[in-house]
Amino acid sequence: MSPIFKDLTNAIRFLSVDAVQKANSGHPGLPMGMADVATVLFKYYLRFNPKNPSWINRDRFILSAGHGSMLLYSLLYLTGYKSISIEDIKSFRQLNSICAGHPEYKKNSGIETTTGPLGQGLSNAVGMAIAEEIMKKRFGSSLINHKTYVIASDGDLMEGISHEAMSLAGHLNLKNLIVLFDNNKISIDGSTDLSVSDNYKKRFESYGWSFQEINGHDEKQISKSIKKSLNSNKPNIISCKTIIGYGSPNKSGKASSHGAPLGEEEIKLVRKKLKWEYEPFKIPKEVLNDWRKIGEKGISSEKKWSTIYNKKNKKIKDELLRVINHKLPKNFNKAIEQVKKKFYDSKLSIASRQSSANVIEEITKNLPELIGGSADLSGSNNTKTKHSITIKPSKFKGNYIHYGVREHGMAAAMNGMALYGGIIPYGGTFLIFSDYCKPSIRLSAFIGLKVIYIFSHDSIGLGEDGPTHQPVEQLVGLRGIPNLNVFRPADTIETLECWEIALKSSTNPSVIVLSRQKLPFITEVYNTKNMCSFGGYEIKKTNSNPEVTLIASGSEVKIAIDTLDKLQKENINSKVVSMPCQELFDKQSNEYKKKTIEKNSIKISIEASSLSGWEKYVGDKGASIGIKSFGKSGPYNELYKYFKLTSDDVVKLTKKMLGK
Ligand SMILES: Cc1ncc(C[n+]2csc(CCOP(=O)(O)OP(=O)(O)O)c2C)c(N)n1
C-alpha cells in the first residue's frame, strides 16, 4: 500500500530533526513546520528531474529561509538527487559536507542558490523569474515555460531587500513567481508581534501581487492554493499559516524549536506523537519508493521537452546551448579586437563611464545575453545605450531593466539571473552606493557568478555632489571580498580591456569602477594583448634604472605620468605602473611582480581613495597618496589641489623621499 501523505511528510520531519540532533546544531523548526507545504509542492506541482538537475526548463525551487536547510537536503535526498546521499544527511554541518549549515549553491546539485542571509533567496528568485521571461521571449514558450517557487520566512519578509524585490516583481508582473510564505509568527526573539505589524495582504496587494492565505498543514488547502497560482496573471504569495516545530509536544509554536536541536527526550515524544517508529535516518522502503517515484516523474517531463527541443532548427538549438553553457559567441575575440583598434585610432579623452558606454554599445550587437540596467542612474552610469531596449511590465523583449532606486534588489536579482543561466547581467549605480548592495555582491563572489557591476562616480573626482557621494573606503571594502575582481581603468583602452576580462570571467563577478570626469587617452602603443589582464603593468619609464616607481589606478594614472615628466626634467628617473586590478596583479608570478614594481626603487602609490591596501606594494620605505578623510563639495580640480593629489605634490614628496 502506498504510504499516506503523513508518512511522506514525516520522512522530511525526522530526517531534519535527527540530522540537527546528530550535528548538535541547526534549525529543526522550519522543516517541521513546512514539511506539508513542501510535500504538496514536490508531489503534485514542481517540475524537476533529479537525474538532470540542470535541465533548463525545470521549475526553480528556492529555500530563501536558508536556516531551514535540512528541509531542502531532505527533499533532494528523498526525491533521488545523486548529490545528496543518506551519508551526506548524516554529516549535516560537518566539514566539507554538501549538507552545509546553510544551502550553498553547487552546479548540478539541486541547490539552486546560496541562502542564509535572509531576503537574498527571495530576491534571487525575482531575478530568476525575470530571466525566465527574457529567455522565453528569446527562445519561445515551447522551450521555456516554468514557474519559480520560493519558501520564505517571516525574516525574509522583514528584510528591506524583500520590499525592493517584491515591489519590482509586482511592477514587472512576474506571474510565474510563487512565494510560499511560512507564516508561523515566530522568529528568534519570540513572537513576531514583538517587531512587526504589517498587513501582508495589503502589503502584497499594493505591490500588485495575488495574495492567498491558507492552513499550511492542510493538504487540500495547500494544493488548491498552488493550483490557483498556476493560472494567475500576477506574482503570487501564499501565506501558509503553520506551526513552527510541528509535532513537538513541548516546543512546537515556540522560538525554542527554531535554532537548536530538540533534544533526545523531546525527539522521542515527537516520534510518539507523529507515530514514526523508525530509528534515526531510516526511511522505510515504501516511503522512500514513493518519494523516488515523485522524483522520477521529472524524467518523462524532460523527455517531452527534449522532443520539442529536438524539432527546433539548428540555429535555435545551438544558440540556446551556447548561452546556457556560458560560451561567448565565436566571433567575440575578433569583435573586441576591432573595437580596440577603433578606440585606439580615435584616442578619445572621455570619462571612463562614457568609455564603458562605448564598449557596451559596441558589444551589445554580438551579445544578446547581455542584460543591462541601473538603479535609476542610467544616464549617470552610462549603462544605457542606443541598442538598449527597455523591459517593461509583462513585456520582456528587451535587454535593459530600470531597477528603480533599488540597489540591493538589483544586485540580488542579477545574481538570480546569472544563476538561471543564459544571461550575463550588468547593472549600475554610484560607487558610493555599492554599500547598499554589498551583501549581494558578497554572494555573487561567494557563489562565483558572472555578474558585472558598473560603479561610476568613483572618487572626489565627481566634484560638486560632495562628500555624501564621494567614495573613500568603498574600494578597500570591495577589494576585501574574496573572488571579486575590482577594476579601475585609466582610459578608453583599459576600460575595454576590463570589460573583456569581466565578460570572460566565468567563475567570479567583476566590479568596474568608472570616473565621472574626463580622463585623457594614455595608451601609448597599440597592443593586441590585454594588458589589464596582468592587473598592473608598466605604462611609461624614463630609463631602465628608475629611482621611483609610481603606481596608480584610474584617474590618477595621468597624475603619475605628469609626475614622471616633471621628475625627468629634474634628472630623476621614474616609471609609472598602471594598476587597474590588484586582484589580478597579485596572481602574477613573483618575477613579473618584481619586474613591474622595480625592486630597487622607492615606491609611491596614488589613488583618490583610502590608502589602505597599497602598503603591500609600496612597502615600509614607500608612501601612499590618497584620501584620509571624507571628501568635500566643490569643482573636482580644486578638490584634487585641496587634498594634495596633484603631480606637483607627488614631485615634492618624491624629492623629499629621495633626499633631493
Ligand atoms: C540578514 C540576516 N539577518 C539575521 C539572520 C539571523 N537569523 C537567522 S533565522 C532568523 C529569523 C528567524 O525567524 P523566521 O525568519 O521567522 O524563521 P523561523 O523562525 O520561522 O524559522 C534570523 C534573525 C540571518 N540569517 N540573516
Side-chain angles (χ1 to χ4, degrees), residues 352-415:
S352 51
R353 61 184 172 134
Q354 181 57 48
S355 304
S356 168
N358 293 354
V359 175
I360 299 168
E361 194 167 304
E362 293 285 353
I363 59 176
T364 300
K365 292 173 277 186
N366 286 317
L367 219 49
E369 64 267 44
L370 193 63
I371 303 295
S374 167
D376 202 43
L377 287 167
S378 297
S380 303
N381 308 144
N382 295 43
T383 38
K384 197 173 182 183
T385 74
K386 66 177 186 220
H387 300 302
S388 302
I389 302 163
T390 301
I391 283 168
K392 297 197 177 123
S394 303
K395 294 199 170 66
F396 293 89
K397 194 172 162 47
N399 58 4
Y400 196 83
I401 300 169
H402 289 278
Y403 288 100
V405 194
R406 302 182 183 104
E407 296 84 2
H408 203 180
M410 170 178 77
M414 289 202 292
N415 285 344

Side-chain angles (χ1 to χ4, degrees), residues 27-31 64-68 102 115-120 152-159 161 181-190 192 242 244 254-255 257-259 439:
H27 301 75
L30 184 146
S64 187
H67 58 275
H102 295 86
T115 54
L118 289 166
Q120 293 288 339
S153 65
D154 294 295
D156 278 306
L157 295 189
M158 285 187 219
E159 287 293 348
I161 192 173
F181 166 31
D182 179 21
N183 190 351
N184 62 22
K185 290 203 84 206
I186 289 287
S187 67
I188 291 180
D189 281 359
T192 54
T242 63
I244 190 168
K254 297 184 186 150
S257 71
H258 163 89

